[in-house]
Amino acid sequence: MKAIRVQAPGGLDKLGMTEMKAPGDPGAGEIRVRLHASSLNFHDYGIVSGAMPTEDGRIPMADGAGVVEAVGDGVAEFAEGDHVVSVFFPQWADGPAPVADFTGTPGDGIDGYARQAVTCPAHFFTRAPAGWSHAEAATITTAGLTAWRALVVDGGLKAGDDVLVMGTGGVSIYALQIATAMGARVFATSSSEEKRARLAEMGASETLNYAEDGDWGTTVAEWTNGRGVDHVVEVGGPATLAQSIDACRIGGHLALIGVLTGRSGEIPTAKLMARQQRLQGLIVGSHAMQRDMVRAMEVTGIRPVIDRSFALEEIADAFRHEESGGHFGKIVLEID
């Protein structure tokens, strides 16, 4: 079968197609899945670019969606023909996070889903939302569940809340969709006027160009009559956190998700303390959270925004498209 491997030390020119032996029949507690799609995330880019070193020859991609081809003894939750989607932390079933690294994450510590098929323990997957394409389902594993956990699980999102999302990547667009579907008001930032227009079409109440407004945190707070938003989906990191604190209300919740502007930097701790805000770091979520999100997607009717699809063998071009920053929503790989 076809698979993509990353040669050390990484780099998009080190991504190569290879032929490998097809996975065998599942053993007890296992399933065999024919994969049909994956989707790109910043974490995957870190692996393939070499910014996050991994084992030579690693098969990348944490997200995978496909069809169950066979089930092993003792598997009750899946049957042949079921549509399924991978989980980011297979070892995290439920409850508080038990992991602080990526040693068990597909595409990082272990081989991922840039291949045609896989045999693995059944708990590596949940069912996919009914009626979704494989490409749509593949967007849940990382981006979708991150947004869901940030707002619903950690944030306790409710109707009438105000939410700030940043940019137009997969997590931010999912967060906008989830928040609006649950009756919250959403404010959004982007440096592109075209993208701002699309954000408004999707339900954002107000948008701003952060490249032109150096004090955008205060601007967002003014949109709430000075109160500040209840939730900030903070994907930028050190260069945006201070503005996010200004945008957030006293006692509000900031979900620290991304490091797009760097891995470390100054935090205005005195202001964070004075405003009694909760800064919650998070990385994706548990198997139970993903099951809950799948049900929510079916009930709300939310469907992910897919910017562009690439064939598996075009994976380097797909990541170059991600590098450009021109995407709106998710970039996916179609696996024949």
Side-chain angles (χ1 to χ4, degrees):
M1 69 173 187
K2 295 189 296 184
I4 300 293
R5 293 190 184 276
V6 184
Q7 297 177 4
L12 299 187
D13 59 337
K14 299 293 185 180
L15 287 168
M17 181 73 77
T18 186
E19 288 287 333
M20 62 182 294
K21 185 179 179 181
D25 292 335
E30 293 183 330
I31 58 176
R32 186 173 71 240
V33 177
R34 174 58 167 93
L35 296 162
H36 290 286
S38 183
S39 76
L40 279 62
N41 299 284
F42 186 73
H43 182 85
D44 302 305
Y45 178 74
I47 297 297
V48 301
S49 67
M52 300 173 64
T54 189
E55 182 179 309
D56 185 37
R58 173 68 71 226
I59 299 174
M61 309 307 291
D63 299 1
V67 179
V68 176
E69 289 187 321
V71 299
D73 291 342
V75 175
E77 62 268 40
F78 299 120
E80 290 182 23
D82 283 350
H83 287 209
V84 294
V85 57
S86 65
V87 297
F88 191 88
F89 289 122
Q91 69 274 48
W92 183 8
D94 199 358
V99 289
D101 57 41
F102 304 108
T103 54
T105 297
D108 189 334
I110 60 177
D111 282 336
Y113 300 110
R115 49 178 155 172
Q116 290 180 301
V118 62
T119 295
C120 60
H123 64 262
F124 275 53
F125 287 84
T126 69
R127 69 180 183 88
W132 281 30
S133 69
H134 297 302
E136 289 175 322
T139 68
I140 284 180
T141 300
T142 303
L145 188 55
T146 297
W148 174 261
R149 179 184 170 191
L151 291 175
V152 179
V153 181
D154 291 348
L157 179 74
K158 63 184 184 300
D161 280 356
D162 285 328
V163 177
L164 171 63
V165 301
M166 303 164 60
T168 57
V171 172
S172 297
I173 296 300
Y174 252 122
L176 186 156
Q177 292 177 290
I178 292 167
T180 54
M182 296 182 68
R185 182 170 60 166
V186 180
F187 307 117
T189 71
S190 174
S191 61
S192 164
E193 296 307 306
E194 179 183 353
K195 290 181 178 180
R196 287 179 62 194
R198 290 190 65 183
L199 289 165
E201 290 174 0
M202 291 186 64
S205 296
E206 300 281 356
T207 70
L208 62 77
N209 188 326
Y210 64 84
E212 296 178 353
D213 186 349
D215 195 22
W216 53 262
T218 299
T219 300
V220 172
E222 289 172 351
W223 288 339
T224 65
N225 295 319
R227 175 178 178 270
V229 300
D230 300 281
H231 310 270
V232 179
V233 182
E234 170 54 76
V235 300
T240 57
L241 185 55
Q243 292 295 325
S244 292
I245 290 171
D246 287 340
C248 193
R249 69 168 172 84
I250 295 171
H253 167 235
L254 300 99
L256 184 59
I257 291 166
V259 290
L260 297 179
T261 64
R263 293 181 175 275
S264 63
E266 292 187 5
I267 298 176
T269 51
K271 183 180 291 187
L272 184 71
M273 180 179 65
R275 294 178 67 79
Q276 303 183 65
Q277 294 166 339
R278 177 162 58 99
L279 179 62
Q280 173 72 55
L282 72 147
I283 300 176
V284 198
S286 69
H287 196 282
M289 292 176 197
Q290 184 159 306
R291 295 196 305 270
D292 289 344
M293 181 188 173
V294 167
R295 288 194 295 270
M297 297 301 98
E298 293 174 339
V299 170
T300 60
I302 290 173
R303 301 295 279 261
V305 175
I306 294 178
D307 176 86
R308 187 174 169 188
S309 296
F310 292 80
L312 179 62
E313 55 268 27
E314 298 174 320
I315 186 171
D317 290 334
F319 277 109
R320 290 187 185 100
H321 183 52
E322 184 183 45
E323 274 183 331
S324 75
H327 58 290
F328 188 102
K330 293 295 293 179
I331 304 166
V332 301
L333 297 175
E334 303 273 4
I335 305 173
D336 293 332

